[in-house]
Amino acid sequence: MSKAVPLPVTRLIEALSRLPGIGPKSASRLTYYLLRAPDELSHTLAEALSELKSQTRYCSVCYNITEEDPCAICADTQRDSTQVVVVEEPLDVLAVERTGAFQGRYHVLHGALSPVEGIGPEDLKIGELVRRVQQGGILEIIIATNPGVEGDATAMYLQRQLTPLGVKVTRLARGLPTGGDLEYVDSVTLLRALQGRHEM
Amino acid sequence: MSKAVPLPVTRLIEALSRLPGIGPKSASRLTYYLLRAPDELSHTLAEALSELKSQTRYCSVCYNITEEDPCAICADTQRDSTQVVVVEEPLDVLAVERTGAFQGRYHVLHGALSPVEGIGPEDLKIGELVRRVQQGGILEIIIATNPGVEGDATAMYLQRQLTPLGVKVTRLARGLPTGGDLEYVDSVTLLRALQGRHEM
């Protein structure tokens, strides 16, 4: 970069540019915003960043991100431990929690099967899920992997692994998104909605 | 936030949400990306953030952000010290430097006059610019404040302050942006382009 830019500024711009969705332009704008903002903001950010990894770990039961092991959901005796929603990422747990409609437990795979990216079953928390089911007490595994090629492949793989263990394996319904417009729905979604039609 | 989210995660999401252009959703996505990314990334970011303010200061000549005082541009004896481009923000210095067409010096006002936001001349580095001109050696002040109401007001104010000091005060040309489409140009820009038309 030009010598009009001091090194600490360049360093932050470069670090921010490595984040997804933040290009060099947004990175500069954020950096110069931080320069003008009160010291407290960059200080808070720096502290939150250093504590993010040092003060969190994976829950040894569900592999969600947590401060305490087991996590708050796994430790909550009020929740139904017979139902487990299986998701790809920790953010998906949040999405399901926001519906307020699920009172069971979770299992975070930390990805989906992807031959293209070389991600196999051993790279995901699948063995851990199988062992959880083998320990007993789980009646239903609700697969909530993403509705796409990799999520579908992962769901199929899990179904084949888990059904022999005598557990009920279900998957989230596919169809039209609520609030969407039929005209703009892609044909795969529409096909799945047709296939999944039910009597009223 | 739900108890599915550990405190260090919430803290980073909240801190990131305070940045311009980053809403709660992007903040969550960035945070969970950092959780999955190598420790080195969040460490580099945290370090760059803490060094951003501690290792930079304002240049005592031009008020650009710098590590060394005076800044690299003010210290560069190869550059023409008779011409000074006046800009609102440090990022504007970069924009002018990128043209490669200016070999003079800069002056950063750190804002523009704005009665609405209560920003008066004493809140900007205007007195400092006046003193720079009074010290002599500057032949032309090129005002490059933003082409809008506040930038225009600031330009007018500067022109009234500086012209009596015997310095030439110019302003960047206004007109059609290169590569734009006449059909989509706003009417104010088109008006300024018409007013500024020149013989070919």
Side-chain angles (χ1 to χ4, degrees):
Chain A
M1 230 174 271
S2 139
K3 65 178 173 177
V5 187
L7 197 59
V9 174
T10 314
R11 264 200 295 260
L12 184 57
I13 292 175
E14 276 167 6
L16 286 170
S17 306
R18 291 169 60 190
L19 296 174
I22 298 191
K25 277 216 168 179
S26 322
S28 318
R29 238 175 283 126
L30 287 173
T31 303
Y32 281 95
Y33 175 84
L34 284 165
L35 276 166
R36 269 199 318 269
D39 285 15
E40 178 269 327
L41 178 53
S42 36
H43 181 74
T44 304
L45 266 171
E47 208 173 54
L49 277 162
S50 358
E51 287 178 1
L52 180 68
K53 292 258 186 156
S54 65
Q55 296 194 11
T56 59
R57 69 190 89 176
Y58 290 149
C59 170
S60 60
V61 180
C62 72
Y63 296 91
N64 195 0
I65 285 149
T66 179
E67 265 180 302
E68 313 260 316
D69 184 21
C71 74
I73 291 177
C74 289
D76 185 348
T77 53
Q78 301 292 308
R79 295 189 72 124
D80 181 0
S81 59
T82 65
Q83 290 187 318
V84 174
V85 161
V86 179
V87 294
E88 294 183 17
E89 301 293 345
L91 266 182
D92 303 331
V93 172
L94 257 184
V96 178
E97 282 293 284
R98 267 196 299 266
T99 68
F102 181 66
Q103 287 304 315
R105 314 281 173 135
Y106 292 92
H107 191 88
V108 182
L109 298 173
H110 290 279
L113 293 176
S114 170
V116 179
E117 292 177 50
I119 299 170
E122 64 292 342
D123 300 311
L124 306 176
K125 305 293 181 192
I126 290 180
E128 289 81 351
L129 177 60
V130 170
R131 277 188 289 282
R132 245 181 113 176
V133 172
Q134 282 168 338
Q135 279 162 17
I138 297 175
L139 301 178
E140 181 180 2
I141 292 286
I142 303 164
I143 303 180
T145 52
N146 289 332
V149 177
E150 298 177 355
D152 287 349
T154 311
M156 289 287 285
Y157 182 87
L158 288 175
Q159 187 261 324
R160 281 201 305 270
Q161 299 292 309
L162 298 173
T163 309
L165 303 177
V167 72
K168 183 174 162 190
V169 179
T170 58
R171 183 135 203 245
L172 294 191
R174 297 280 274 275
L176 302 177
T178 305
D181 196 329
L182 203 69
E183 187 182 347
Y184 299 115
V185 163
D186 66 284
S187 51
V188 179
T189 300
L190 198 49
L191 176 68
R192 297 297 290 256
L194 262 171
Q195 290 169 338
R197 69 189 181 278
H198 48 82
E199 226 170 313
M200 296 175 58
Chain B
M1 231 175 269
S2 139
K3 65 179 172 178
V5 188
L7 198 59
V9 174
T10 314
R11 263 199 297 259
L12 184 57
I13 293 175
E14 276 167 7
L16 286 170
S17 305
R18 290 169 60 191
L19 297 174
I22 299 189
K25 278 216 166 176
S26 323
S28 318
R29 240 176 279 125
L30 288 172
T31 302
Y32 281 94
Y33 175 84
L34 284 165
L35 275 166
R36 271 198 316 269
D39 286 14
E40 178 269 327
L41 179 53
S42 36
H43 182 75
T44 305
L45 265 173
E47 209 172 53
L49 277 162
S50 0
E51 286 177 1
L52 180 68
K53 292 258 184 156
S54 64
Q55 295 192 12
T56 57
R57 69 190 90 177
Y58 290 149
C59 169
S60 59
V61 180
C62 74
Y63 295 92
N64 195 0
I65 283 147
T66 180
E67 266 180 300
E68 315 259 316
D69 185 21
C71 74
I73 292 178
C74 287
D76 185 347
T77 53
Q78 302 290 308
R79 294 188 71 125
D80 181 0
S81 58
T82 66
Q83 289 187 318
V84 176
V85 161
V86 179
V87 294
E88 293 182 19
E89 300 294 347
L91 267 182
D92 302 331
V93 171
L94 260 183
V96 177
E97 281 293 284
R98 269 196 299 266
T99 68
F102 181 66
Q103 288 303 315
R105 314 281 173 133
Y106 292 92
H107 192 88
V108 182
L109 297 174
H110 290 280
L113 294 177
S114 169
V116 179
E117 292 179 49
I119 300 172
E122 66 291 342
D123 300 310
L124 307 175
K125 304 294 181 192
I126 290 181
E128 289 81 351
L129 177 61
V130 169
R131 278 189 288 282
R132 246 180 112 177
V133 172
Q134 282 168 338
Q135 278 162 17
I138 297 174
L139 301 178
E140 182 180 2
I141 293 287
I142 302 164
I143 302 181
T145 51
N146 290 331
V149 176
E150 297 177 355
D152 287 350
T154 311
M156 288 288 285
Y157 182 86
L158 289 175
Q159 186 260 326
R160 281 201 303 271
Q161 300 291 309
L162 299 172
T163 309
L165 304 176
V167 70
K168 185 173 160 189
V169 179
T170 59
R171 182 134 205 243
L172 295 190
R174 298 280 274 276
L176 302 176
T178 306
D181 197 328
L182 202 68
E183 187 182 347
Y184 299 115
V185 162
D186 66 284
S187 50
V188 178
T189 300
L190 198 49
L191 176 68
R192 298 297 291 253
L194 262 172
Q195 289 167 339
R197 69 189 180 277
H198 49 82
E199 226 170 314
M200 294 175 60

